[in-house]
Amino acid sequence: MSSTATPTALERGVFVDGAVRPVAPETLEITNPGTGELVGHATSADAGVVDEAVRSAHQALGEWSRRGYAERGAILHAGAEALLDHVEELIPGLVAEQGKTIREARIELRKAADTLEHYAGLAKEVRAAYVHGLDPGVDGRVLRKPLGVVAAIVPWNFPTTLLSNKLGPALVCGNTVVAKPADTTPFTTLRLAEILTEAGLPPGVLNVVTGTGPRAGEALITHPLTRKVAFTGSTPTGERVMALAAKGTKRVTLELGGSDPMIICDDADLKRAASAAAMGRFYNCGQACLAIKRVYVLASVADEVIEAIARKAAKLRVGIGTDENAQLGPMHSRRQREIMEDQIARTLQRGGEVLTRGGRPDDPRLANGWFHEPTVVVDPPHDSPMAQEEVFGPALPIWRVKDFDEAIRLANDSPFGLGSSVWTTNLDRAERAAAEIEAGYTWINSPTKVYDELPFGGIGASGYGKEHGSEALDYYTDQKSVVVKRAG
């Protein structure tokens, strides 16, 4: 890929104490995944820069945590409204650095604002517990207290929504945050911090450090003033985060990889199920932790469903994110594409049939980007890479299964446990799937939409802890017990 600079190339430093610093001598080069053009340079922060950001957040903690929940919620509400006002401004930058389509960028940014608004609304609903009559004349209370400085580390696939999942509950509960975006998608996060600060967030409450994981990320996790690490990313990196956070006994929430199964029964609405499978797999070029990555179809309807999914995949228009007609943008990097291509190749060496053309597109307009056409593989071995590893791109394996019992067994034959889906009109099957599939989320006859009202998190290799829902507040507060003995 070329990296020819354009007149609009950005130069941005870290965001600390309410302002963007000048870009440092040592920088990250950010290129457009769809064109290879240079987007700009951002500071590659070292431990010293991270220390400044964490100390700034720690300094701001006292005043911010003393404010009432309602006041913090009002400031977050203003920030959410400001973000909505700036969506159209932010779209081009997000498309340029991440690669996604204009439509997907707009959806992401609006969802990020919705999540902030959700937690702003919850601010007035936060309750503590009270226990009357522990002993004669003795009552008890349970208080919520903020943890302190939160490290929010997010990946490149959804830079703003995954950050908002952490910012919302962290800020409402009185914590301060140092965010570290992926080293390939820093610019939208830096601008988001500016927007929230301009909307009323006090300086230091949200700081952003840009840099690599081994350098900036590890310095942030291991900083003695960091009290909580909220991480979204791959399972191997999450395990590294856990190990680093052990020193100092920091709180950790991990939203890691997934290989979500979908079961399609013979009594399902097959047309809607096929649409949900295609949307759930190929949205954001298949680059999502929570995505349909394995499909199991009962044999009697398998041919019809497989044909429908393959037809939908083949119709997707691959293109550069700025193309209004594009439905499938590029993969984010050369490395991501090569990893997926290797998984497909190793799988096909052992078996399976490719129904769509797949591979790299031959359109010369896409030659400088990391594009890959949607790929559907039927009946690969159940112990192949596409069955057992997380496939992070536009490739979907589908299996024919003899009955619902086999579908459940194979759905659970994975180290991951993030999301899952079942399509059936049979209530008993639906209830069995909800109870027996080992995952943090199950959709029944529904596209894989995440709701802020419900807790979200995985099990097994998909991590632990919850984001979304009022349950997320528990992961950003300490509970303190207070016993009061009345006089007399």
Side-chain angles (χ1 to χ4, degrees):
M1 295 175 76
S2 65
S3 57
T4 304
T6 67
T8 57
L10 299 171
E11 301 287 329
R12 302 292 298 275
V14 299
F15 185 87
V16 177
D17 279 334
V20 176
R21 300 275 183 86
V23 66
E26 191 168 353
T27 62
L28 306 167
E29 182 177 275
I30 311 302
T31 57
N32 186 318
T35 66
E37 295 175 341
L38 180 69
V39 179
H41 294 92
T43 292
S44 181
D46 59 15
V49 174
V50 171
D51 179 65
E52 289 182 50
V54 175
R55 291 187 182 280
S56 165
H58 188 261
Q59 181 67 31
L61 178 66
E63 192 274 336
W64 178 246
S65 64
R66 286 191 293 270
R67 299 191 185 205
Y69 275 91
E71 183 180 1
R72 293 195 295 261
I75 293 172
L76 195 61
H77 168 76
E81 292 294 305
L83 174 53
L84 280 176
D85 290 341
H86 286 80
V87 164
E88 296 305 313
E89 171 208 324
L90 292 169
I91 286 172
L94 181 55
V95 170
E97 66 178 350
Q98 202 283 333
K100 63 182 62 192
T101 66
I102 292 172
R103 175 179 177 271
E104 290 167 341
R106 184 174 288 113
I107 291 171
E108 175 180 342
L109 291 162
R110 288 178 175 171
K111 175 59 179 173
D114 286 348
T115 297
L116 295 180
E117 181 61 43
H118 175 76
Y119 283 100
L122 277 185
K124 291 185 178 181
E125 303 300 322
V126 177
R127 299 286 187 270
Y130 178 84
V131 182
H132 178 70
L134 292 169
D135 275 322
V138 179
D139 297 330
R141 289 181 288 162
V142 180
L143 307 182
R144 284 186 183 269
K145 297 172 66 67
L147 298 175
V149 178
V150 173
I153 302 176
V154 298
W156 46 261
N157 53 339
F158 296 99
T160 61
T161 53
L162 295 175
L163 179 58
S164 289
N165 292 348
K166 299 159 181 56
L167 283 182
L171 296 178
V172 161
C173 290
N175 302 281
T176 55
V177 176
V178 179
K180 198 207 83 67
D183 56 14
T184 53
T185 53
F187 295 125
T188 308
T189 303
L190 288 166
R191 181 65 184 126
L192 174 59
E194 285 184 301
I195 291 168
L196 296 180
T197 301
E198 290 165 0
L201 203 63
V205 171
L206 170 60
N207 296 324
V208 179
V209 292
T210 55
T212 65
R215 192 180 188 197
E218 295 199 5
L220 178 57
I221 294 166
T222 58
H223 196 287
L225 295 178
T226 298
R227 296 310 309 150
K228 160 74 185 273
V229 181
F231 173 83
T232 300
S234 71
T235 298
T237 305
E239 292 172 348
R240 173 68 175 164
V241 168
M242 285 180 64
L244 291 170
K247 186 175 182 180
T249 58
K250 305 173 194 293
R251 302 284 186 92
V252 179
T253 300
L254 301 174
E255 195 265 282
L256 306 178
S259 185
D260 300 355
M262 173 185 277
I263 297 172
I264 301 176
C265 297
D266 49 8
D267 59 353
D269 183 327
L270 302 182
K271 183 177 179 180
R272 289 179 58 223
S275 293
M279 183 275 290
R281 169 67 287 195
F282 299 114
Y283 184 77
N284 205 49
C285 197
Q287 299 170 123
C289 296
L290 190 75
I292 304 301
K293 296 175 184 171
R294 295 176 290 140
V295 174
Y296 301 99
V297 192
L298 267 64
S300 61
V301 296
D303 289 348
E304 179 181 351
V305 171
I306 292 169
E307 180 183 351
I309 294 173
R311 186 168 58 247
K312 288 178 181 296
K315 287 182 178 179
L316 289 172
R317 293 188 295 272
V318 180
I320 295 169
T322 51
D323 180 353
E324 289 280 4
N325 295 318
Q327 296 173 303
L328 192 79
M331 297 189 70
H332 186 62
S333 68
R334 178 201 297 269
R335 178 174 178 271
Q336 289 298 134
R337 186 171 68 174
E338 289 177 347
I339 289 172
M340 188 188 73
E341 288 175 333
D342 177 67
Q343 290 173 313
I344 295 171
R346 286 187 290 121
T347 294
L348 294 176
Q349 286 173 1
R350 302 179 59 187
E353 177 187 5
V354 178
L355 289 193
T356 56
R357 183 170 60 176
R360 302 180 184 185
D362 53 15
D363 186 339
R365 295 172 297 179
L366 307 181
N368 290 329
W370 310 126
F371 294 93
H372 194 285
E373 292 179 334
T375 304
V376 176
V377 178
V378 178
D379 289 325
H382 291 293
D383 60 352
S384 65
M386 293 188 75
Q388 293 299 316
E389 300 174 10
E390 179 179 28
V391 179
F392 215 69
L396 177 64
I398 306 176
W399 290 270
R400 298 174 176 89
V401 293
K402 63 181 179 180
D403 55 30
F404 191 65
D405 288 338
E406 183 182 30
I408 292 283
R409 178 179 62 79
L410 291 171
N412 286 333
D413 184 22
S414 170
F416 300 100
L418 198 56
S420 59
S421 301
V422 62
W423 286 78
T424 179
T425 56
N426 183 293
L427 180 60
D428 289 339
R429 282 175 168 175
E431 292 291 350
R432 272 195 64 194
E436 295 180 20
I437 294 178
E438 297 167 0
Y441 222 115
T442 298
W443 287 268
I444 299 172
N445 299 327
S446 171
T448 51
K449 178 181 177 181
V450 174
Y451 292 90
D452 286 321
E453 296 85 351
L454 297 174
F456 166 69
I459 61 175
S462 293
Y464 60 83
K466 298 298 180 183
E467 294 187 331
H468 299 286
S470 59
E471 290 81 358
L473 303 176
D474 294 337
Y475 293 88
Y476 290 92
T477 52
D478 267 324
Q479 284 76 50
K480 179 178 182 179
S481 295
V482 178
V483 176
V484 179
K485 181 172 177 58
R486 297 190 296 276

